[in-house]
């Protein structure tokens, strides 16, 4: 007797199977002929492990327009605007916005999120609010928090002490923003000090790193070096890495092997990088996406993050990791069948590996968390970004949605239309 059986779905690797769930665990995969309290018919639909967002800012989300919009569209004005918002936001309001966003995320099948949280303000209001949210959403979303000195570890008075206080309060990961420190040397020193703090506390590291068009912003080199020096391999990620787009090719040929050897993962954020970067250019205009295919070819783990939804840096956003994969695919020209398929993995299994998620995936013994999509396979899912027909979190059905079919009224044409197609099956 199962609590829940998902019947007849197609796994990302193409296998058609039933999935049996007892309690919060997957306990059977294969043909199941047994009773269950609840059965979901997924015949012909894609069953995916949950979407994972390894880069987000939940303290800022859904604040678009407060107290004003970002007129220039640049990263720097966004940081300034966020500074204004920090002075007027309240604990209750941050919790409310974050929970509303988590509703969106859960409905779209995002069941794990790594969110940076600003640690510069002495009140640590955002940290307290997101610690509360982490606990509230724990039954359905695994929320990992990164202590993020947004205004600079050294540039912002008190940021170092406040970042350490945030870690003492239970924030999970050490963050940083070396390219926003006043000098290159301060940037390098901040990477060194933050990695040492992570090593002392046995924590992971995820730094905003080189989110700039300046080809000489090379803090990823220091991050990789410190990762090796301190034995942090496999626990460190560099987010954005947009300067790599503009770097000298010879230098990159030396840099990538260092990142690979150090075991540092990369988290580009295609929706945001395409919007924020290149704002100082005329034409040709750089688009700021880091070198995804080149890093993948070196064996570096690369995941795609969402970064922002309706906040000082981004005026759109849907909480859909398939939108992120879709944009990443386009900007990095990942158009071969293998590359398109990889984009799906990057917002699911690869992101889970970067976050160090335990018991993630579709196998016996894993957490019973999965998404049923109105698509036949992963490439079709990226193409259509279709309805999440069912979202199951830790064994519980938490969201359902109808299929996205249209009803046509056209002379000589059938009334129904389905956009699914067997091209990539
Ligand atoms: Fe970010």
């Amino acid at each position: 007797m199962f609590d829940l059986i998902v019947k007849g779905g197609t796994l990302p690797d193409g296998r058609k199977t039933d999935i049996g769930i007892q309690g919060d665990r997957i306990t059977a995969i294969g043909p199941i002929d047994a009773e269950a309290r609840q059965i979901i018919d997924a015949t012909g639909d894609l069953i995916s492990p949950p979407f994972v967002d390894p880069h987000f800012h939940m303290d800022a989300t859904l604040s678009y327009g407060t107290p004003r919009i970002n007129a220039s569209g640049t990263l720097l004005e966004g940081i300034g605007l966020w500074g204004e918002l920090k002075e007027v936001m309240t604990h209750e309001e941050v919790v409310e916005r974050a929970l509303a966003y988590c509703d969106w995320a859960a409905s779209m099948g995002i069941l794990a999120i790594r969110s940076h949280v600003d640690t510069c303000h002495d009140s640590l209001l955002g940290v307290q609010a997101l610690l509360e949210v982490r606990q509230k959403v724990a039954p359905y979303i695994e929320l990992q928090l990164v202590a993020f000195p947004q205004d600079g570890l050294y540039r912002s008075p008190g940021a170092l002490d406040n970042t350490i206080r945030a870690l003492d309060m239970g924030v999970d990961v050490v963050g940083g923003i070396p390219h926003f420190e006043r000098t290159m040397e301060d940037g390098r020193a901040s990477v060194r000090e933050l990695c040492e703090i992570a090593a002392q506390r046995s924590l992971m590291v995820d730094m905003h790193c080189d989110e700039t068009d300046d080809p000489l912003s090379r803090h990823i080199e220091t991050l990789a070096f410190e990762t090796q020096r301190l034995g942090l391999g496999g626990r460190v990620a560099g987010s954005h890495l947009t300067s790599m787009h503009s770097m000298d090719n010879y230098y990159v040929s030396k840099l990538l092997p260092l990142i690979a050897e150090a075991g540092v993962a990369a988290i580009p954020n295609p929706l945001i990088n395409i919007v924020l970067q290149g704002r100082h250019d005329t034409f040709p205009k750089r688009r700021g996406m880091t070198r995804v295919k080149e890093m993948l070819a070196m064996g570096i783990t690369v995941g795609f993050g969402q970064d922002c939804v309706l906040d000082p840096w981004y005026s759109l956003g849907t909480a859909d990791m398939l939108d992120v994969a879709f944009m990443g695919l386009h900007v990095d020209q990942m158009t071969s069948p293998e590359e398109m398929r990889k984009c799906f993995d990057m917002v699911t299994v690869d992101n889970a590996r970067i976050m160090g998620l335990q018991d993630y995936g579709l196998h016996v013994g894993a957490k019973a968390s999965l998404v049923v999509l109105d698509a036949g396979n992963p490439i079709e899912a990226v193409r259509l970004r279709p309805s999440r027909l069912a979202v199951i979190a830790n064994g519980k059905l938490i969201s359902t949605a109808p299929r996205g079919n249209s009803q046509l009224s056209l002379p000589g044409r059938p009334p129904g239309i389905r956009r699914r197609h067997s091209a990539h099956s």
Side-chain angles (χ1 to χ4, degrees):
M1 180 74 171
F2 290 92
D3 294 317
L4 179 59
I5 295 176
V6 182
K7 293 286 280 186
T10 305
L11 301 182
D13 64 9
R15 280 181 294 153
K16 292 183 174 27
T17 187
D18 304 328
I19 296 180
I21 292 168
Q22 289 171 304
D24 65 354
R25 295 283 144 174
I26 293 174
T27 54
I29 291 199
I32 299 174
D33 185 16
E35 299 278 297
R37 288 186 183 84
Q38 191 173 17
I39 291 178
I40 294 173
D41 181 8
T43 306
D45 297 325
L46 176 65
I47 302 181
S48 169
F51 293 105
V52 177
D53 185 356
H55 190 113
F56 197 66
H57 292 264
M58 207 175 278
D59 47 0
T61 195
L62 307 193
S63 68
Y64 178 72
T66 310
R68 59 185 176 83
I69 63 164
N70 181 339
S72 69
T74 60
L75 171 72
L76 296 181
E77 183 174 347
I79 293 174
L81 178 50
W82 168 238
E84 294 174 36
L85 179 58
K86 272 192 284 189
E87 294 303 323
V88 297
M89 69 188 193
T90 66
H91 179 97
E92 293 71 24
E93 180 227 339
V94 176
V95 171
E96 194 179 320
R97 287 194 279 102
L99 287 175
Y101 175 77
C102 286
D103 292 347
W104 293 11
S107 75
M108 299 306 280
I110 301 177
L111 301 183
I113 301 171
R114 174 182 280 180
S115 174
H116 296 254
V117 54
D118 194 336
T119 53
C120 286
H121 202 283
D122 288 339
S123 71
L124 290 181
L125 181 149
V127 172
Q128 291 180 20
L130 291 196
L131 286 169
E132 186 179 320
V133 170
R134 185 176 70 180
Q135 193 177 7
K136 282 200 161 104
V137 302
Y140 49 95
I141 289 177
E142 188 166 342
L143 177 57
Q144 214 175 61
L145 298 177
V146 186
F148 175 47
Q150 168 79 75
D151 300 326
L153 187 74
Y154 301 139
R155 180 170 172 171
S156 173
L160 175 58
D161 286 347
N162 291 338
T163 299
I164 290 170
R165 278 173 55 217
L167 295 171
D168 288 341
M169 289 162 68
V171 169
D172 309 276
V173 180
V174 179
I177 186 164
H179 56 277
F180 195 64
E181 304 292 350
R182 284 294 188 190
T183 64
M184 290 291 183
E185 185 45 48
D186 269 5
R188 272 192 289 273
S190 77
V191 173
R192 199 176 309 128
E193 180 154 15
L194 288 162
C195 284
E196 285 172 356
I197 289 170
Q200 284 157 12
R201 294 170 176 250
S202 300
L203 296 176
M204 291 189 287
V205 175
D206 187 339
M207 276 186 210
H208 285 66
C209 200
D210 304 326
E211 189 182 5
T212 160
D213 296 315
D214 175 5
L216 296 178
S217 186
R218 295 176 170 185
H219 298 296
I220 180 59
E221 178 187 87
T222 308
L223 183 61
F225 179 83
E226 292 299 320
T227 298
Q228 266 191 331
R229 181 176 73 86
L230 297 163
L232 294 172
R235 291 197 274 143
V236 176
S239 282
H240 295 292
L241 306 181
T242 53
S243 72
M244 199 189 293
H245 182 98
S246 304
M247 282 175 182
D248 172 73
N249 289 330
Y250 178 82
Y251 174 71
V252 173
S253 76
K254 180 167 166 280
L255 174 66
L256 294 188
L258 172 64
I259 298 172
E261 284 168 29
V264 172
I267 308 174
N269 298 281
L271 291 167
I272 307 310
N273 296 154
I274 193 78
V275 162
L276 293 182
Q277 305 307 313
R279 290 274 180 166
H280 293 74
D281 292 0
T282 54
F283 290 93
K285 190 187 279 284
R286 289 167 293 174
R287 306 322 307 264
M289 183 70 145
T290 192
R291 304 192 192 197
V292 174
K293 288 205 273 196
E294 290 73 12
M295 284 195 282
L296 289 171
M298 288 296 306
I300 296 165
T301 301
V302 186
F304 283 140
Q306 185 177 208
D307 205 0
C308 303
V309 168
L310 291 169
D311 70 8
W313 296 275
Y314 190 50
S315 49
L316 298 170
T318 54
D320 187 354
M321 292 308 292
L322 289 175
D323 276 354
V324 176
F326 187 80
M327 181 61 81
L329 182 156
H330 282 78
V331 180
D332 210 56
Q333 300 177 326
M334 295 178 70
T335 48
S336 75
E338 296 75 22
E339 289 166 344
M340 292 193 288
R341 177 70 176 74
K342 181 65 175 170
C343 288
F344 187 86
D345 285 346
M346 287 168 72
V347 294
T348 52
V349 291
D350 294 343
N351 281 346
R353 192 160 69 248
I354 289 171
M355 283 182 62
L357 299 182
Q358 301 291 310
D359 301 331
Y360 172 92
L362 299 178
H363 56 266
V364 171
K367 278 185 188 168
S369 296
L370 57 87
V371 186
V372 182
L373 291 127
D374 187 7
N377 57 65
I379 295 174
E380 190 168 64
V382 174
R383 181 174 73 85
L384 293 175
R385 288 149 287 143
S387 288
R388 311 308 120 105
L389 301 171
V391 179
I392 296 169
N394 298 316
K396 299 218 163 35
L397 179 64
I398 61 164
S399 179
T400 60
R403 295 183 190 279
N405 300 336
S406 303
Q407 289 302 310
L408 286 177
S409 301
L410 294 175
R413 299 298 303 152
I417 184 170
R418 292 195 81 192
R419 292 179 176 81
R420 284 170 63 163
H421 195 275
S422 58
H424 299 296
S425 59

